Amino acid sequence: PMDSEIKESLVTHLKKVCGQVTALEKMVNADQPCLEIAQQIRAARSSLASLEKKILLDRIKKVGSVETEVKELERLLEGVVS
């Protein structure tokens, strides 16, 4: 489970992404220039990548190391594959 502080930060970030996507929809409906739409798409993608990074870094901090995380995932997968 995520700490409430991290979760709140992620939800705030997600709301920003939703706002960017809503802006994209409005831009398309308003026939905005393609380059402006592309720029907004890049901004939304960058924001999503940043969100992904925050989530993964939080997970790594909780696990302690990537090696420990890999072992944990392997252990979980053994139960699925067996």
Side-chain angles (χ1 to χ4, degrees):
M2 289 184 195
D3 297 332
S4 60
E5 186 177 313
I6 296 293
K7 188 182 285 187
E8 187 176 321
S9 171
L10 295 174
V11 168
T12 299
H13 200 123
L14 280 167
K15 288 179 181 179
K16 176 184 174 187
V17 172
C18 287
Q20 289 172 317
V21 172
T22 299
L24 272 167
E25 181 182 10
K26 289 178 182 177
M27 291 174 79
V28 169
N29 285 329
D31 291 324
Q32 293 291 316
C34 292
L35 292 178
E36 289 180 22
I37 294 170
Q39 183 177 7
Q40 183 66 22
I41 290 170
R42 278 192 301 277
R45 289 170 68 186
S46 175
S47 190
L48 279 171
S50 175
L51 180 66
E52 178 183 30
K53 183 177 178 180
K54 283 182 182 180
I55 291 169
L56 294 175
L57 286 174
D58 180 62
R59 176 66 182 166
I60 288 170
K61 286 177 188 174
K62 286 181 181 169
V63 172
S65 74
V66 173
E67 183 178 324
T68 305
E69 178 74 353
V70 169
K71 287 179 182 176
E72 172 76 10
L73 290 171
E74 286 175 343
R75 186 185 65 75
L76 290 171
L77 285 174
E78 284 175 8
V80 173
V81 176
S82 301

